[in-house]
PDB file of all heavy atoms in Angstrom:
ATOM      1  N   PRO B  70     -15.156  61.420 -62.821  1.00  0.00           N
ATOM      2  CA  PRO B  70     -14.485  61.783 -61.566  1.00  0.00           C
ATOM      3  C   PRO B  70     -13.160  61.049 -61.383  1.00  0.00           C
ATOM      4  O   PRO B  70     -12.621  61.038 -60.282  1.00  0.00           O
ATOM      5  CB  PRO B  70     -15.495  61.327 -60.520  1.00  0.00           C
ATOM      6  CG  PRO B  70     -16.105  60.103 -61.130  1.00  0.00           C
ATOM      7  CD  PRO B  70     -16.000  60.238 -62.646  1.00  0.00           C
ATOM      8  N   ASP B  71     -12.640  60.417 -62.451  1.00  0.00           N
ATOM      9  CA  ASP B  71     -11.415  59.619 -62.329  1.00  0.00           C
ATOM     10  C   ASP B  71     -10.196  60.483 -62.639  1.00  0.00           C
ATOM     11  O   ASP B  71      -9.950  60.831 -63.795  1.00  0.00           O
ATOM     12  CB  ASP B  71     -11.510  58.440 -63.309  1.00  0.00           C
ATOM     13  CG  ASP B  71     -10.207  57.659 -63.388  1.00  0.00           C
ATOM     14  OD1 ASP B  71      -9.266  57.954 -62.608  1.00  0.00           O
ATOM     15  OD2 ASP B  71     -10.133  56.749 -64.227  1.00  0.00           O
ATOM     16  N   PRO B  72      -9.402  60.822 -61.604  1.00  0.00           N
ATOM     17  CA  PRO B  72      -8.268  61.725 -61.794  1.00  0.00           C
ATOM     18  C   PRO B  72      -7.259  61.192 -62.812  1.00  0.00           C
ATOM     19  O   PRO B  72      -6.464  61.955 -63.356  1.00  0.00           O
ATOM     20  CB  PRO B  72      -7.618  61.804 -60.407  1.00  0.00           C
ATOM     21  CG  PRO B  72      -8.653  61.333 -59.459  1.00  0.00           C
ATOM     22  CD  PRO B  72      -9.498  60.355 -60.215  1.00  0.00           C
ATOM     23  N   GLY B  73      -7.311  59.900 -63.093  1.00  0.00           N
ATOM     24  CA  GLY B  73      -6.372  59.332 -64.058  1.00  0.00           C
ATOM     25  C   GLY B  73      -6.855  59.433 -65.495  1.00  0.00           C
ATOM     26  O   GLY B  73      -6.134  59.088 -66.432  1.00  0.00           O
ATOM     27  N   SER B  74      -8.065  59.915 -65.696  1.00  0.00           N
ATOM     28  CA  SER B  74      -8.650  59.900 -67.044  1.00  0.00           C
ATOM     29  C   SER B  74      -8.399  61.221 -67.769  1.00  0.00           C
ATOM     30  O   SER B  74      -8.329  62.283 -67.152  1.00  0.00           O
ATOM     31  CB  SER B  74     -10.155  59.653 -66.894  1.00  0.00           C
ATOM     32  OG  SER B  74     -10.868  60.220 -67.964  1.00  0.00           O
ATOM     33  N   PRO B  75      -8.267  61.170 -69.110  1.00  0.00           N
ATOM     34  CA  PRO B  75      -8.054  62.416 -69.870  1.00  0.00           C
ATOM     35  C   PRO B  75      -9.249  63.367 -69.791  1.00  0.00           C
ATOM     36  O   PRO B  75      -9.087  64.575 -69.979  1.00  0.00           O
ATOM     37  CB  PRO B  75      -7.835  61.942 -71.318  1.00  0.00           C
ATOM     38  CG  PRO B  75      -8.267  60.519 -71.363  1.00  0.00           C
ATOM     39  CD  PRO B  75      -8.214  59.979 -69.966  1.00  0.00           C
ATOM     40  N   THR B  76     -10.431  62.837 -69.509  1.00  0.00           N
ATOM     41  CA  THR B  76     -11.596  63.716 -69.397  1.00  0.00           C
ATOM     42  C   THR B  76     -12.002  63.916 -67.924  1.00  0.00           C
ATOM     43  O   THR B  76     -13.166  64.203 -67.628  1.00  0.00           O
ATOM     44  CB  THR B  76     -12.798  63.184 -70.200  1.00  0.00           C
ATOM     45  OG1 THR B  76     -13.040  61.834 -69.795  1.00  0.00           O
ATOM     46  CG2 THR B  76     -12.536  63.237 -71.686  1.00  0.00           C
ATOM     47  N   TYR B  77     -11.026  63.785 -66.995  1.00  0.00           N
ATOM     48  CA  TYR B  77     -11.287  64.062 -65.581  1.00  0.00           C
ATOM     49  C   TYR B  77     -11.859  65.468 -65.421  1.00  0.00           C
ATOM     50  O   TYR B  77     -11.334  66.429 -65.988  1.00  0.00           O
ATOM     51  CB  TYR B  77      -9.976  63.975 -64.780  1.00  0.00           C
ATOM     52  CG  TYR B  77     -10.094  64.485 -63.348  1.00  0.00           C
ATOM     53  CD1 TYR B  77     -10.931  63.869 -62.430  1.00  0.00           C
ATOM     54  CD2 TYR B  77      -9.354  65.586 -62.927  1.00  0.00           C
ATOM     55  CE1 TYR B  77     -11.024  64.323 -61.121  1.00  0.00           C
ATOM     56  CE2 TYR B  77      -9.441  66.060 -61.616  1.00  0.00           C
ATOM     57  CZ  TYR B  77     -10.288  65.419 -60.718  1.00  0.00           C
ATOM     58  OH  TYR B  77     -10.375  65.879 -59.434  1.00  0.00           O
ATOM     59  N   GLY B  78     -12.912  65.575 -64.657  1.00  0.00           N
ATOM     60  CA  GLY B  78     -13.481  66.887 -64.392  1.00  0.00           C
ATOM     61  C   GLY B  78     -14.460  67.376 -65.445  1.00  0.00           C
ATOM     62  O   GLY B  78     -14.931  68.502 -65.372  1.00  0.00           O
ATOM     63  N   TYR B  79     -14.767  66.516 -66.417  1.00  0.00           N
ATOM     64  CA  TYR B  79     -15.775  66.855 -67.432  1.00  0.00           C
ATOM     65  C   TYR B  79     -17.169  66.424 -66.973  1.00  0.00           C
ATOM     66  O   TYR B  79     -17.322  65.384 -66.321  1.00  0.00           O
ATOM     67  CB  TYR B  79     -15.505  66.095 -68.739  1.00  0.00           C
ATOM     68  CG  TYR B  79     -14.468  66.679 -69.638  1.00  0.00           C
ATOM     69  CD1 TYR B  79     -13.161  66.884 -69.196  1.00  0.00           C
ATOM     70  CD2 TYR B  79     -14.778  67.010 -70.961  1.00  0.00           C
ATOM     71  CE1 TYR B  79     -12.192  67.386 -70.051  1.00  0.00           C
ATOM     72  CE2 TYR B  79     -13.815  67.517 -71.825  1.00  0.00           C
ATOM     73  CZ  TYR B  79     -12.522  67.705 -71.366  1.00  0.00           C
ATOM     74  OH  TYR B  79     -11.566  68.193 -72.218  1.00  0.00           O
ATOM     75  N   ILE B  80     -18.168  67.203 -67.345  1.00  0.00           N
ATOM     76  CA  ILE B  80     -19.526  66.674 -67.444  1.00  0.00           C
ATOM     77  C   ILE B  80     -19.558  65.945 -68.790  1.00  0.00           C
ATOM     78  O   ILE B  80     -19.096  66.485 -69.799  1.00  0.00           O
ATOM     79  CB  ILE B  80     -20.554  67.814 -67.390  1.00  0.00           C
ATOM     80  CG1 ILE B  80     -20.582  68.386 -65.969  1.00  0.00           C
ATOM     81  CG2 ILE B  80     -21.932  67.325 -67.811  1.00  0.00           C
ATOM     82  CD1 ILE B  80     -21.449  69.633 -65.822  1.00  0.00           C
ATOM     83  N   THR B  81     -20.019  64.700 -68.800  1.00  0.00           N
ATOM     84  CA  THR B  81     -19.855  63.892 -70.016  1.00  0.00           C
ATOM     85  C   THR B  81     -21.095  63.899 -70.921  1.00  0.00           C
ATOM     86  O   THR B  81     -21.244  64.773 -71.760  1.00  0.00           O
ATOM     87  CB  THR B  81     -19.411  62.458 -69.657  1.00  0.00           C
ATOM     88  OG1 THR B  81     -20.349  61.894 -68.738  1.00  0.00           O
ATOM     89  CG2 THR B  81     -18.030  62.476 -68.994  1.00  0.00           C
ATOM     90  N   THR B  82     -22.004  62.940 -70.704  1.00  0.00           N
ATOM     91  CA  THR B  82     -23.063  62.740 -71.707  1.00  0.00           C
ATOM     92  C   THR B  82     -24.418  63.305 -71.290  1.00  0.00           C
ATOM     93  O   THR B  82     -25.450  62.789 -71.679  1.00  0.00           O
ATOM     94  CB  THR B  82     -23.257  61.234 -71.959  1.00  0.00           C
ATOM     95  OG1 THR B  82     -23.545  60.621 -70.682  1.00  0.00           O
ATOM     96  CG2 THR B  82     -22.035  60.610 -72.569  1.00  0.00           C
TER      97      THR B  82
END
Side-chain angles (χ1 to χ4, degrees):
Chain B
D71 172 6
S74 152
T76 53
Y77 170 63
Y79 279 58
I80 289 173
T81 55
T82 56

